[in-house]
């Protein structure tokens, strides 16, 4: 007895080709066109992706990876490998992308994060007394390009474990999205996580001094206004940078990280001057701990995500969290994203 078996139709330019083992050139072109269409119609610069100075391609942010996964019906799942020690929180994560309709595994991406990374390893000292009381091996002076400096002490690995885990998941998620959608020719990833001096101009190649020198120098008046805003602290500088317009932001790109560092140093200096007798930070009220943990995770996504979350809080809640706002803003600024 014979029966007719109806084979499932292939999704046009989709990620599943059930009856064959390779895509045609037309299907590959169509998939690339779909990614480009999503980028034009849905994604916003500095929210879903952003251009890092000195790099040829935009960097894909986590919100952008989520949009692409929705567009192609990719469901992410995570396999976490805990590599932590007593002094370092470290996680290696594999993100697996599965087609939501068929259940077929499409691919995977890997990401890793550690509290030993530069941006997690140190925090600003609360006051001079804390810095002096910290063992020499657990403290340092941080010097900035503008000649400023700040006192820093080592962080506690346990305090950063959740943040480090979320960052490893984010990196794995973006890697998986780029691999499955074949969008690596349009985006790079994780460049915003690197210090400015370690960022690459192209895959695996450091930006040369000549390439860095091609960035235009901003007008003297604009640079002076930016420096004046930075002396008032990070929040004032962020307001200045956001309100100065696209052309001025582009002109200030080469100085942006230095100006942010100067603003953070100015905040730290005022804290030390205002509270010279303070020996340790105040204990966090138990009822605020869950909310602060959520805000810390959002700050890990950058300024845009943190500002949106902060704006949704009630005025009374914002007043309660005011002592922690500066530190969260500094964390969000260090992560990059929209300003």
């Amino acid at each position: 007895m014979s029966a007719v078996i109806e084979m499932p139709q292939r999704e046009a330019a989709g990620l599943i080709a059930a009856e064959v083992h390779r895509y045609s050139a037309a299907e590959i072109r169509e998939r690339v066109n779909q990614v480009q269409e999503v980028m034009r119609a849905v994604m916003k610069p500095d929210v879903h992706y952003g251009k890092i100075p000195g790099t040829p391609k935009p960097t894909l942010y986590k919100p952008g990876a989520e949009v692409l996964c929705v567009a192609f019906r990719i469901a992410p799942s995570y396999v976490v490998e805990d590599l932590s020690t007593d002094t370092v929180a470290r996680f290696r994560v594999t993100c697996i992308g599965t087609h939501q309709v068929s259940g077929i595994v499409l691919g995977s991406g890997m990401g890793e994060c550690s509290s030993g990374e530069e941006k997690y390893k140190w925090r600003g000292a609360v006051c001079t007394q804390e810095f002096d009381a910290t063992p020499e091996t657990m403290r340092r002076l941080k010097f900035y390009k503008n000649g400023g400096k700040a006192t820093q002490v080592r962080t506690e690995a346990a305090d950063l474990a959740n943040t480090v885990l979320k960052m490893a998941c984010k990196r794995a998620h973006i890697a998986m999205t780029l691999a499955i959608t074949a969008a690596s020719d349009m985006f790079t990833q994780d460049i915003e996580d690197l210090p400015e001096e370690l960022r690459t101009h192209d895959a695996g190649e450091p930006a040369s001094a000549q390439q860095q020198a091609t960035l235009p120098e901003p007008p003297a008046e604009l640079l002076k206004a930016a420096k004046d805003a930075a002396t008032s602290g990070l929040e004032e500088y962020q307001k200045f940078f956001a309100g100065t317009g696209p052309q001025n932001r582009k002109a200030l790109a080469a100085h942006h990280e230095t100006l942010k560092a100067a603003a953070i140093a100015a905040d730290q200096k005022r804290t030390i001057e205002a509270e010279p007798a303070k020996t340790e930070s105040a204990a966090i009220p138990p009822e605020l701990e869950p909310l602060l943990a959520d805000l810390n995770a959002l700050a890990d996504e950058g300024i845009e995500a943190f500002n949106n979350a902060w704006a949704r809080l009630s005025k009374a809640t914002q007043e309660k969290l005011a002592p922690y706002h500066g530190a969260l803003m500094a964390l969000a600024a260090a992560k990059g994203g929209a300003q």
Side-chain angles (χ1 to χ4, degrees):
M1 181 177 179
S2 61
V4 176
I5 301 175
E6 183 178 353
M7 297 297 291
Q9 291 186 345
R10 181 187 306 175
E11 295 184 20
L15 297 175
I16 304 299
E19 74 276 22
V20 296
H21 299 291
R22 64 183 179 85
Y23 291 107
S24 68
E27 286 176 317
I28 294 174
R29 283 196 301 270
E30 182 61 24
R31 188 194 301 182
V32 171
N33 289 340
Q34 284 189 344
V35 174
Q36 293 174 340
E37 180 61 28
V38 171
M39 185 176 177
R40 286 192 299 266
V42 181
M43 293 185 178
K44 298 178 181 179
D46 296 329
V47 176
H48 299 99
Y49 63 91
K51 187 69 183 295
I52 307 299
T55 59
K57 294 186 293 187
T59 295
L60 182 65
Y61 298 149
K62 186 171 182 287
E66 292 169 346
V67 167
L68 288 176
C69 283
V70 169
F72 287 98
R73 291 182 285 185
I74 304 169
S77 58
Y78 300 90
V79 177
V80 179
E81 184 179 358
D82 189 348
L83 304 175
S84 303
T85 66
D86 291 339
T87 57
V88 176
R90 179 186 170 198
F91 299 96
R92 181 178 297 149
V93 176
T94 301
C95 182
I96 302 170
T98 305
H99 193 249
Q100 293 175 340
V101 177
S102 67
I104 294 176
V105 174
L106 305 173
S108 63
M110 184 174 290
E112 185 173 320
C113 191
S114 165
S115 62
E117 295 180 21
E118 175 71 14
K119 63 182 176 181
Y120 299 122
K121 192 175 183 179
W122 303 94
R123 65 170 176 84
V126 174
C127 58
T128 53
Q129 287 87 346
E130 181 190 38
F131 182 76
D132 292 339
T134 302
E136 290 187 5
T137 56
M138 302 289 287
R139 67 183 186 184
R140 73 172 185 178
L141 282 176
K142 171 69 174 180
F143 294 91
Y144 298 100
K145 291 181 180 179
N146 65 345
K149 61 182 179 180
T151 55
Q152 296 183 338
V153 297
R154 285 288 299 271
T155 56
E156 290 290 339
D159 295 337
L160 293 169
N162 184 60
T163 299
V164 168
L165 175 58
K166 287 182 179 296
M167 179 57 73
C169 290
K170 167 196 164 185
R171 292 172 177 175
H173 187 186
I174 294 174
M176 177 273 293
T177 303
L178 290 175
I180 291 178
T181 60
S184 294
D185 60 334
M186 288 173 266
F187 299 106
T188 183
Q189 77 165 120
D190 291 342
I191 299 298
E192 80 276 17
D193 296 332
L194 292 174
E196 185 178 2
E197 61 272 17
L198 297 181
R199 291 174 181 168
T200 58
H201 174 71
D202 208 341
E205 298 182 6
S208 67
Q210 181 180 2
Q211 290 162 345
Q212 293 176 346
T214 58
L215 293 173
E217 190 67 19
E221 292 183 0
L222 175 63
L223 185 58
K224 182 179 183 302
K227 289 180 178 179
D228 290 342
T231 59
S232 298
L234 182 62
E235 187 170 359
E236 288 301 317
Y237 173 69
Q238 296 288 3
K239 290 179 181 178
F240 168 84
F241 190 81
T244 194
Q247 292 297 328
N248 286 340
R249 286 198 293 270
K250 184 177 180 180
L252 288 170
H255 299 267
H256 184 48
E257 292 300 323
T258 300
L259 289 166
K260 282 201 302 184
I264 294 171
D267 283 336
Q268 291 177 338
K269 181 179 179 182
R270 275 193 295 276
T271 299
I272 293 172
E273 292 174 348
E275 303 179 87
K278 189 174 182 180
T279 57
E280 60 182 11
S281 58
I284 298 175
E287 65 273 14
L288 293 182
E289 287 183 356
L291 184 55
L292 280 172
D294 291 340
L295 287 172
N296 188 79
L298 288 164
D300 193 68
E301 299 300 329
I303 289 293
E304 181 78 14
F306 173 73
N307 282 343
N308 288 340
W310 184 265
R312 290 194 295 268
L313 297 175
S314 67
K315 186 175 181 181
T317 302
Q318 288 181 353
E319 290 176 355
K320 291 180 181 179
L321 294 172
Y324 314 101
H325 183 259
L328 290 166
M329 280 287 290
L331 173 62
K335 305 302 176 183
Q339 305 299 324

